[in-house]
Amino acid sequence: GRNALRERWERQMVALGAPPVGGSDPEPERFLRQFIPQIEGLLGWWEGRWRSFEADLVTEGLRWAELRELVPPIQDRYGDLLRLAELLTELLPTVLAAEEDRRTLVALRRSFHQWEEACGGGGGLAAQLRTAIAERETVAYAEAHGRLLALYTLQQEMALRAALLGRLEPVAPALAAAIRLRTEPHGADRPMGDPVAAWRWRILDDELDRRGLQSLVTLQERIAMLTTQLQAATAELVERRAWAAQARRTSLEQRLALQGWKQTMRKIGKGTGKRVPALQAEARAKMRLCQSAVPVWIMPLARVAESFDPEQNRFDVVIIDEASQADLLALTALYMGEQLVIVGDDEQVSPEAVGQTALGAAALIQEHLKGIPNAQNYDALFSVYDLAKSAFEGVSLREHFRSVEPIIQFSNQLSYGGKIKPLRDASGVARRPHTVAIKVEGQSVGKVNETEAQMVASLLLAACAEPAYAEATFGVISLVGGEQAERIGQILQREMTPQEFFRRRILCGTAAQLQGDERDVVFLSLVHGPGATGPLRLLSEGKERSTQKRFNVAASRARDQLWVVHSVNPETDLKPGDLRRRLIVHAANPALPEREG
């Protein structure tokens, strides 16, 4: 069997190119066994490989049956195989190469179509690329493509340019449009001049134009309104926070003492009952606890003497306000303070010592104030401010916020040597003119000038009906005693409702009674009428300090407007240098330089 196997191998396989079996090999099957996988693969080629390959060709669109008919039949025992071999080696490669070219052509056409669509329908570089693709102009396409690549490298800069223009456009649309469209002179690659300086100039120019269109009166009114609101809100905030902190730190014992003191003071009332001394002693006893509960006490000097025991109650700081009107009774409050602040103005009205005589005061000084420096000043005519000024160097406040300059200028020249600096802006005050002088044909009877009283009342009532005085408050000052102010008050109360009288905060009195107070509009009544035999007795600043102080206070109570109602001719009825003459002349024309008359 081995020889037959060897012969068959030589006959069938060696003829096909297989290696021969050695004749001396006693076991040829061992050599031939290694060809079994190849032989099995070749024997199964038709079913294992060819059928699958043929199916793939048909799936890809090859009409195999038609292609096979192109090879003529071969007269041979293995004719089908020979035809197939010729088909695979001669005809099929050509067909496959043609199909590959066709598919490449389709892919290229698709790419061209995509490129044409990518170029869009615009002009310029896109149109050049589109034309070059359509006409298959390689040189033109290369040029356009090169330019496109150059532009692509500038894409980041273009994005930055667009972003900067986007930030510029909301605030400067015209400039942004000119730069975007490269409108001259903004078509260059660099800005003209210094853009920061140009931008700053334009902002300032626009701001000046905007401010030029603003109404100064409207702005002043808004500032005044907001200032008032801010002050009110601040005061309310301070008050509430102060009371909240006070409530947290006050003990039950202190609260009971405060309530007891409050009820005791209510029982004291006007201080005229038989039990008043006992009640006052009880109130002072409770005050020791009350003082420790409330850190700040504000009250009139008379109430201080009733409420505090100087031996028990002590304060870190005692402040006397309006000290130029406080007499020696204020020493009681000063005794209770470790530190003292005396606030006043010696150019304003001083105590009048009503019911006291100079001899009586001198006797008391001689008896009780031996060895006290400047003891002669401790009479009822000297204020606490005068006493403090004689002992300590004072601090003078020069800034004035209440009155507009045309009003305060009279007092500034009369009493302060022109050193006061008015800081209130008059441009926002709608009530004009700021000073007015009104002459009437009146005459004084005693200390009442009925004609002036009627005129002042009429002017005030007329002002209440005007829109410019809708929220104004009013004051009336008589420069000669309180009778004239009382008469004007009677007329007003007869003609006005109590509600309106209260809402306008109308106060009629003397200069001393309005000292420390203020009103939007103040009416002054000079009271004196013309003399029968010539000019009136001279009222001058040098001879009568009390008169000068009275005029100073009276002329400085108004915030917005000062009316001077008089019955005299300042040129013929008043002598040069007379305070009344100076006041009338100033009210008539505050812009004139201050003269002695």
Side-chain angles (χ1 to χ4, degrees), residues 89-286:
T89 58
E90 300 294 336
L91 190 57
L92 184 60
T94 303
V95 172
L96 293 178
E99 178 64 15
E100 182 181 8
D101 291 342
R102 186 190 70 80
R103 293 191 177 190
T104 301
L105 178 61
V106 170
L108 290 175
R109 287 175 177 173
R110 185 181 300 112
S111 297
F112 277 116
H113 180 68
Q114 292 174 349
W115 292 342
E116 288 177 343
E117 289 183 344
C119 292
L125 185 58
Q128 295 179 23
L129 285 170
R130 192 167 57 252
T131 301
I133 293 171
E135 297 179 359
R136 308 298 191 265
E137 290 289 341
T138 57
V139 176
Y141 179 83
E143 292 178 355
H145 187 262
R147 292 182 59 193
L148 179 62
L149 290 178
L151 291 177
Y152 184 78
T153 58
L154 299 176
Q155 185 177 12
Q156 187 174 2
E157 295 184 16
M158 287 292 294
L160 177 60
R161 183 176 189 268
L164 294 176
L165 286 173
R167 293 171 56 186
L168 179 64
E169 190 165 17
V171 293
L175 177 60
I179 295 175
R180 181 177 286 107
L181 299 176
R182 302 187 184 279
T183 304
E184 292 299 333
H186 302 289
D189 58 348
R190 293 182 179 277
M192 296 181 60
D194 185 352
V196 175
W199 184 258
R200 185 183 298 109
W201 180 90
R202 185 54 185 266
I203 289 176
L204 293 175
D205 184 67
D206 290 347
E207 179 63 17
L208 290 175
D209 290 342
R210 185 189 69 81
R211 294 188 180 187
L213 298 176
Q214 294 287 333
S215 169
L216 188 59
V217 174
T218 302
L219 291 176
Q220 288 289 349
E221 290 177 349
R222 180 167 176 77
I223 290 173
M225 179 188 68
L226 292 177
T227 300
T228 302
Q229 293 177 354
L230 179 61
Q231 290 174 345
T234 303
E236 182 179 2
L237 174 63
V238 170
E239 179 183 4
R240 297 199 175 194
R241 294 188 65 177
W243 280 114
Q246 184 63 37
R248 285 193 295 267
R249 64 171 175 258
T250 304
S251 66
L252 178 60
E253 185 181 11
Q254 291 172 325
R255 293 181 184 179
L256 292 175
L258 285 169
Q259 290 297 328
W261 178 83
K262 180 179 178 182
Q263 294 169 359
T264 303
M265 296 305 295
R266 186 180 293 116
K267 291 179 181 180
I268 292 174
K270 296 182 179 180
T272 57
K274 295 181 179 180
R275 298 181 57 203
V276 168
L279 292 173
Q280 289 177 340
E282 182 180 348
R284 283 192 292 270
K286 295 180 181 297

Side-chain angles (χ1 to χ4, degrees), residues 429-476:
V429 180
R431 302 175 185 110
R432 293 172 180 268
H434 299 299
T435 62
V436 184
I438 300 291
K439 184 181 182 303
V440 299
E441 299 300 326
Q443 189 57 262
S444 58
V445 178
K447 294 185 179 180
V448 174
N449 187 321
E450 183 64 22
T451 306
E452 287 188 14
Q454 293 290 341
M455 175 58 73
V456 169
S458 299
L459 290 171
L460 194 153
L461 291 170
C464 290
E466 292 295 323
Y469 297 83
E471 302 297 328
T473 59
F474 295 94
V476 176

Side-chain angles (χ1 to χ4, degrees), residues 443 529-537 572-573 575:
Q443 189 57 262
T533 60
L536 298 178
R537 183 179 66 87
T572 59
D573 296 327
K575 298 177 181 179

Side-chain angles (χ1 to χ4, degrees), residues 338-351:
E338 300 295 334
Q339 290 182 308
L340 307 176
V341 178
I342 311 298
V343 181
D345 185 351
D346 58 350
E347 294 296 334
Q348 294 190 358
V349 179
S350 299

Side-chain angles (χ1 to χ4, degrees), residues 522-561:
V522 171
F523 294 89
L524 301 185
S525 176
L526 265 64
V527 183
H528 289 145
T533 60
L536 298 178
R537 183 179 66 87
L538 178 68
L539 295 181
S540 65
E541 58 182 288
K543 294 182 179 179
E544 302 186 33
R545 285 283 295 162
S546 61
T547 302
Q548 177 182 330
K549 292 180 179 181
R550 186 169 72 252
F551 272 71
N552 174 34
V553 172
S556 60
R557 298 305 97 194
R559 299 182 70 253
D560 301 342
Q561 195 173 53

